[in-house]
């Protein structure tokens, strides 16, 4: 393995109460704080002007810290010379430009109720005062546990305004997992969505040494408990705190201090608290979104749907912080979005941009395939023709090449209607992030004339460090480095593959209270080591080939990244839902497989019933199977033979004998969040799967 390194860079081309908890717009008219400052005279205008001055930096001796109250040196250089600002300053600058525009939209009954940016800002101030009244201490956290909502956003921004640290907790977390995050972040206040989430905190509140209060933002309180507040009660508390007290705290904040904790999902161990500074958030919201071609509202107000977990950096940057930065209109999906209502919301909203994790895009793909299969013969033939024309055209279309008449005809006659059925009639930008996406999914959406632009980064890089967009797109690539950021490949091998390392204003402050883990992630020069393996082509496009920790090193010493092989198997065998390669320190490779099946819409557990795509696959083989249990254990010889042949085709393309799959097994149940095999962002938890299916794995290697 070579130890050479290549370094690359790219230059830059509420003063009123919120009202009823179920209605964020049930207020009197809100006053723009900047207009009000002019009316209130010179002293108030001076106060607002002071808030807009570029942020001072707190004294710092290092690029990293592990203390919540610590500060860091910023990676400011010729690529990143911009004046650092706090979250509050970013918001003030935005309401100067976008104050009267709608910012947040919530559906109540059959009506979308909207809140303007000026109202949004005032609600955040009132929430900040409420947190102060409840005893929020400086650099302690407000933990938020629940589905995306206006209250989630307002709590997040309000916590930062009040000098606290905003911490998201995954709504799928167990009580013990919630306890860990709340305790580790020294949470004073926990904001919960409903009774279900409240019950988790009530089970563990006695184990939280810094706990002071709980706020519930949706549904009525079933019991009146000490230190438990409804949203209306909480917002009313802010009336008892003066503007001056809040402004003094806001003015004391520095751009190189922590304001957010993002907890890793724990796929490779105990979750770690990723400390992000004001500058991490404000710089990334500006630059990464520009790299993704998101437009400022003065050009065109972007519209999007918020539904992915806000505890994850991808959704938080895309929905919350970029929304403030560019004046976007954010619509909140229903809590059961991932159970099937997301597309209904998309059809109503018709967003201009949409982001999904790979598994969401896969689910949309599966739904479309099912709908096509239900069409009559002629319509199905027409759709199949149009999709094949689009795929061929998109695969060979260069940036400046004009679209053919046939392609234009196929798109206008068929594909536009298909996209409209998904709610994408006005959508111009489609993003995928948080995990690698398979080539089958990418190709399928190209056949709908939809390019999925991959974003690549990590919590420790405040989200995207590389972005694809219409001006920077290559199939299977994560795009190019965000302007203003740098990267290098470390320990490059003969195949040009090395570890991807990051440098830029988006690089995190450190892991909370974890000095050794911080030093593992950041080298002596301050470069963030991703743990991901990748290669870069001659034009600067990055291709991720795997993760170092996921790299399989066989007993014979050969290094094998599992993702390409797993992806190839799923592409050859459309009946397969998940494939996980086994073989670390083993004599040969083996494979765990799951079959595509339906999902219980209430519990989100995989069922025994085959999905329509899997059912049709079986029928084409002449199989009578309708359930997973009809197939497993070798019961269905036709399906087993087909899978064996598909794996043989994958093996025929292997670069060495060590990369051939020798044994495989179909598991009785698909992977899921509920089952524990998938994390909150639907990423495969390999270490968990290894433990859960240890006996099946060991059976491969018994002599």
């Amino acid at each position: 393995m070579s130890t050479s390194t290549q370094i690359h860079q790219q230059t830059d081309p509420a003063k009123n109460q919120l009202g009823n908890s179920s209605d964020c717009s049930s207020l009197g008219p809100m006053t723009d704080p900047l207009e009000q400052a002019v009316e209130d005279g010179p002293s108030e205008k001076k106060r607002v002007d002071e808030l807009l001055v570029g942020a001072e930096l707190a004294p710092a001796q290092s690029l990293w810290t592990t203390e919540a109250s610590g500060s860091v040196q910023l990676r400011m250089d010729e690529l990143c010379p911009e004046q650092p600002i706090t979250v509050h300053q970013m918001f003030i600058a935005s309401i100067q430009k976008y104050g009267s525009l709608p910012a947040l939209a919530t559906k109540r009954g059959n009506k979308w109720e909207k809140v303007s940016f000026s109202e949004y800002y005032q609600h955040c101030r009132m929430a900040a005062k409420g947190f102060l009244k409840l005893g929020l201490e400086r650099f302690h956290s407000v933990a938020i546990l629940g589905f995306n909502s206006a209250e989630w956003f307002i709590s997040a921004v309000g916590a930062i305004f009040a000098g606290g640290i905003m911490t998201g907790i995954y709504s799928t977390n167990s009580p013990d997992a919630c306890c860990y995050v709340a305790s580790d972040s020294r949470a004073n206040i926990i904001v919960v969505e409903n009774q279900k989430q409240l019950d988790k905190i009530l089970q563990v509140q006695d184990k939280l040494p810094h706990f002071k209060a709980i706020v519930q933002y949706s549904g009525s309180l079933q019991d009146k408990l000490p230190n438990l507040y409804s949203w209306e009660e909480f917002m009313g508390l802010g009336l008892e705190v003066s503007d001056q007290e809040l402004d003094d705290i806001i003015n004391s904040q520095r751009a190189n201090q922590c304001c957010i904790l993002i907890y890793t999902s724990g796929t490779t161990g105990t979750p770690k608290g990723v400390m992000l500074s004001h500058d991490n958030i404000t710089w990334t919201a500006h630059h990464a979104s520009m790299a993704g071609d998101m437009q400022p509202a003065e050009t065109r107000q972007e519209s999007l749907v918020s539904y992915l977990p806000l505890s994850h950096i991808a959704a938080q940057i895309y929905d919350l912080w970029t929304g403030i930065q560019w004046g976007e209109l954010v619509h909140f999906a229903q809590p059961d979005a991932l159970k099937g209502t997301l597309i209904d919301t998309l059809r109503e909203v018709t967003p201009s941009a949409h982001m999904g994790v790979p598994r969401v895009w896969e689910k949309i793909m599966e739904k479309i395939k099912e709908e096509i299969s239900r069409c009559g013969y002629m319509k199905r033939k027409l759709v199949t023709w149009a999709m094949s024309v689009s795929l061929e055209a998109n695969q060979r279309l260069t940036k400046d090449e004009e679209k053919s008449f046939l392609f234009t005809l196929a798109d206008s006659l068929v594909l536009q209607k298909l996209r409209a059925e998904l709610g994408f009639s006005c959508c111009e930008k489609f993003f995928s992030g948080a995990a690698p996406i398979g080539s089958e999914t990418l190709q399928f959406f190209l056949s709908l004339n939809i390019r999925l632009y991959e974003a690549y980064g990590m919590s420790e890089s405040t989200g995207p460090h590389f972005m694809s967009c219409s001006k920077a797109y290559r199939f299977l690539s994560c795009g190019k480095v965000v302007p203003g950021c740098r990267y290098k490949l470390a320990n490059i091998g003969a195949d040009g593959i090395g570890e991807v390392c990051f440098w830029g204003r988006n690089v995190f402050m450190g892991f909370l209270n974890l000095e050794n883990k911080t030093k593992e992630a950041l080298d002596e020069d301050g470069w963030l080591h991703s743990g991901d393996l990748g290669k870069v082509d001659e034009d600067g496009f990055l291709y991720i080939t795997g993760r170092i920790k996921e790299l399989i090193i066989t007993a014979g010493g050969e290094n094998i990244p599992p993702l390409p092989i797993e992806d190839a198997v799923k592409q050859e065998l459309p009946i397969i839902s998940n494939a996980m390669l086994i073989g670390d320190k083993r004599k040969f490779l083996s494979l765990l497989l799951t079959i595509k099946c339906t999902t219980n819409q209430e519990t989100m557990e995989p069922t025994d019933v085959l999905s329509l795509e899997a059912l049709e696959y079986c029928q084409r083989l002449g199989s009578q199977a309708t359930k997973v249990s009809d197939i497993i254990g070798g019961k269905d010889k036709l399906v087993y033979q087909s899978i064996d042949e598909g794996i043989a085709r994958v093996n025929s393309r292997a670069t060495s004998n060590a990369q051939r799959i020798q044994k495989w097994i179909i598991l009785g149940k698909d992977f899921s969040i509920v089952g524990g095999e998938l994390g909150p962002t639907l990423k495969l938890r390999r270490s968990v799967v290894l433990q859960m299916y240890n006996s099946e794995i060991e059976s491969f290697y018994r002599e």
Side-chain angles (χ1 to χ4, degrees):
M1 190 72 121
S2 167
T3 58
S4 62
T5 295
Q6 295 177 354
I7 300 177
H8 303 263
Q9 63 188 50
Q10 183 172 328
T11 55
D12 200 344
K15 290 185 181 181
N16 292 319
Q17 184 179 337
L18 183 55
N20 189 289
S21 65
S22 65
D23 185 357
C24 283
S25 64
S26 60
L27 309 157
M30 302 293 287
T31 305
D32 188 307
L34 300 175
E35 294 176 359
Q36 186 65 47
V38 174
E39 293 177 11
D40 289 345
S43 62
E44 181 65 10
K45 179 66 166 63
K46 180 182 178 184
R47 182 180 74 82
V48 173
D49 287 342
E50 287 172 352
L51 298 177
L52 290 169
V53 174
E56 297 177 16
L57 298 180
Q61 306 302 317
S62 173
L63 289 170
W64 61 269
T65 183
T66 60
E67 297 179 5
S69 60
S71 53
V72 295
Q73 296 172 352
L74 300 182
R75 291 166 170 78
M76 296 180 67
D77 54 28
E78 69 276 6
L79 291 184
C80 304
E82 293 83 7
Q83 178 74 28
I85 60 173
T86 64
V87 166
H88 184 266
Q89 288 171 316
M90 178 177 74
F91 209 144
I92 285 287
S94 290
I95 58 174
Q96 278 189 305
K97 296 179 285 187
Y98 315 128
S100 61
L101 291 178
L104 309 177
T106 305
K107 192 173 184 183
R108 317 287 187 194
N110 294 317
K111 181 182 178 184
W112 285 96
E113 296 174 351
K114 299 177 181 178
V115 173
S116 73
F117 277 93
S118 291
E119 292 168 333
Y120 181 12
Y121 173 77
Q122 291 297 336
H123 299 334
C124 294
R125 285 183 65 90
M126 190 58 65
K129 292 179 182 181
F131 289 135
L132 291 174
K133 184 66 178 178
L134 290 174
L136 176 62
E137 300 171 61
R138 191 69 186 270
F139 299 116
H140 284 242
S141 87
V142 172
I144 311 174
L145 173 61
F147 187 73
N148 310 23
S149 68
E151 293 88 351
W152 210 111
F153 277 34
I154 291 162
S155 297
V157 180
I160 295 172
F161 282 6
I165 296 176
M166 186 274 282
T167 304
I169 302 179
Y170 286 109
S171 59
T172 54
N173 274 11
S174 67
D176 286 343
C178 294
C179 181
Y180 174 84
V181 173
S183 177
D184 191 63
S185 64
R186 301 188 304 170
N188 290 150
I189 298 143
I190 303 177
V191 179
V192 300
E193 177 186 0
N194 51 25
Q195 187 67 39
K196 177 183 177 181
Q197 303 298 353
L198 173 61
D199 287 342
K200 296 178 184 178
I201 303 305
L202 293 178
Q203 287 183 48
V204 301
Q205 63 177 337
D206 293 340
K207 301 177 184 178
L208 303 175
H210 304 280
F211 167 78
K212 296 184 179 181
I214 307 174
V215 178
Q216 181 177 321
Y217 66 78
S218 180
S220 58
L221 301 183
Q222 293 186 11
D223 299 295
K224 183 54 184 170
L225 303 172
N227 302 317
L228 171 62
Y229 298 85
S230 68
W231 186 257
E232 305 97 308
E233 292 170 335
F234 163 64
M235 293 298 278
L237 295 174
L239 297 171
E240 302 177 37
V241 177
S242 70
D243 279 334
Q244 189 60 55
E245 181 180 346
L246 176 59
D247 288 337
D248 288 344
I249 293 171
I250 289 172
N251 287 329
S252 70
Q253 295 172 18
R254 300 292 178 257
N256 59 338
Q257 293 174 328
C258 184
C259 66
I260 288 173
L261 281 171
I262 298 287
Y263 276 83
T264 59
S265 57
T267 53
T268 58
T270 304
K272 301 183 289 289
V274 176
M275 298 169 58
L276 299 178
S277 69
H278 288 264
D279 187 64
N280 286 149
I281 295 298
T282 57
W283 192 91
T284 305
H286 184 277
H287 287 75
S289 54
M290 282 184 65
D293 201 30
M294 298 299 282
Q295 299 296 308
E298 54 262 43
T299 302
R300 171 193 174 182
Q301 187 177 31
E302 299 276 12
S303 172
L304 56 94
V305 173
S306 177
Y307 71 101
L308 292 173
L310 292 165
S311 307
H312 193 277
I313 188 59
Q316 201 176 116
I317 280 289
Y318 180 77
D319 297 4
L320 174 50
W321 305 117
T322 301
I324 294 172
Q325 169 68 47
W326 295 124
E328 298 169 354
L329 174 55
V330 179
H331 298 77
F332 295 102
Q334 298 302 307
D336 58 354
L338 294 179
K339 295 181 181 180
T341 64
L342 176 60
I343 288 181
D344 295 331
T345 303
L346 292 172
R347 286 171 183 156
E348 291 183 43
V349 173
T350 60
S352 63
H354 186 67
M355 179 178 172
V357 296
R359 194 60 180 152
V360 168
W361 290 115
E362 288 171 15
K363 289 294 183 184
I364 293 175
M365 173 178 71
E366 290 166 10
K367 183 175 178 61
I368 297 170
K369 286 182 176 180
E370 287 185 7
E371 293 296 328
I372 293 172
S373 69
R374 292 192 180 102
C375 294
Y377 175 78
M378 289 304 297
K379 186 173 181 180
R380 190 165 64 248
K381 290 289 287 184
L382 181 63
V383 171
T384 303
W385 165 78
M387 290 174 68
S388 65
V389 169
S390 176
L391 178 60
E392 182 184 357
N394 275 296
Q395 285 180 323
R396 61 175 171 75
L397 200 64
T398 62
K399 189 171 71 172
D400 300 321
E401 185 181 343
E402 288 189 10
K403 296 176 181 177
S404 69
F405 171 75
L406 196 62
F407 174 58
T408 303
L409 183 67
D411 192 64
S412 59
L413 280 180
V414 181
L415 302 181
Q416 282 183 8
K417 295 174 184 176
L418 266 177
R419 294 194 297 271
E421 280 295 307
L422 296 172
F424 293 148
S425 57
C426 300
C427 200
E428 298 176 347
K429 294 173 283 285
F430 304 85
F431 299 105
S432 179
I437 190 166
S439 58
E440 178 194 1
T441 309
L442 292 171
Q443 286 179 330
F444 179 83
F445 281 97
L446 281 179
S447 74
L448 299 181
N449 198 19
I450 291 175
R451 283 184 175 181
L452 295 184
Y453 299 127
E454 285 200 74
Y456 165 69
M458 52 201 304
S459 300
E460 294 88 333
S461 65
T462 322
H465 199 88
F466 287 79
M467 285 289 299
S468 290
C469 67
S470 60
K471 300 170 186 173
Y473 174 83
R474 294 255 170 104
F475 186 68
L476 292 177
S477 169
C478 303
K480 295 186 175 184
V481 69
V482 170
C485 295
R486 304 173 193 244
Y487 74 95
K488 69 179 181 180
L489 298 181
N491 301 319
I492 302 172
D495 52 5
I497 295 173
E499 182 184 11
V500 185
C501 303
F502 304 144
W503 178 278
R505 295 269 285 276
N506 57 335
V507 172
F508 78 139
M509 300 175 69
F511 292 120
L512 181 65
N513 302 325
L514 296 173
E515 183 171 334
N516 289 338
K517 293 292 184 182
T518 301
K519 288 181 177 179
E520 286 177 17
L522 298 170
D523 64 25
E524 292 181 357
D525 297 321
W527 284 86
L528 171 61
H529 287 245
S530 70
D532 290 319
L533 296 169
K535 59 183 178 180
V536 179
D537 67 17
E538 63 279 4
D539 296 318
F541 284 90
L542 175 70
Y543 299 81
I544 297 298
T545 60
R547 253 192 98 63
I548 293 174
K549 288 183 179 179
E550 294 176 356
L551 200 66
I552 291 173
I553 304 176
T554 65
E558 182 151 354
N559 291 1
I560 301 172
L563 277 175
I565 297 175
E566 293 164 351
D567 189 33
V569 168
K570 289 194 286 186
Q571 193 161 11
E572 282 288 344
L573 299 165
I575 192 175
I576 298 302
S577 177
N578 283 283
M580 180 170 147
L581 199 66
I582 308 295
D584 196 46
K585 301 181 179 65
R586 307 283 191 172
K587 293 180 180 179
F588 58 84
L589 298 183
S590 58
L591 194 64
L592 301 179
L593 299 172
T594 67
I595 300 291
K596 288 179 179 175
C597 61
T598 61
T599 302
N600 183 310
Q601 293 303 302
E602 292 302 316
T603 65
M604 297 306 291
E605 288 186 275
T607 72
D608 188 38
V609 179
L610 295 179
S611 71
L612 185 58
E613 186 177 10
L615 190 63
E616 290 180 342
Y617 182 92
C618 292
Q619 290 171 348
R620 286 195 297 271
L621 297 175
S623 164
Q624 302 299 310
T626 60
K627 299 177 181 178
V628 175
S629 56
D630 294 338
I631 298 172
I632 59 173
K635 295 174 191 170
D636 195 312
K637 291 181 171 52
L638 291 172
V639 173
Y640 267 68
Q641 181 182 344
S642 175
I643 291 175
D644 212 33
E645 291 170 353
I647 289 175
R649 291 192 294 272
V650 173
N651 284 340
S652 70
R653 302 192 293 270
T655 55
S656 69
N657 285 332
Q659 297 199 26
R660 293 174 180 268
I661 301 160
Q662 296 195 27
K663 294 184 180 181
W664 52 273
I665 189 173
I666 302 174
L667 302 176
K669 204 169 190 180
D670 196 7
F671 297 160
S672 66
I673 294 176
V674 178
E677 302 96 340
L678 303 180
T681 56
L682 304 174
K683 190 183 294 184
L684 182 61
R685 303 173 70 185
R686 292 178 186 270
S687 59
V688 172
V689 174
L690 287 173
Q691 292 177 359
M692 290 178 65
Y693 298 99
N694 180 64
S695 60
E696 288 86 350
I697 293 168
E698 290 303 320
S699 69
F700 290 142
Y701 300 99
R702 292 195 188 105
E703 294 294 333

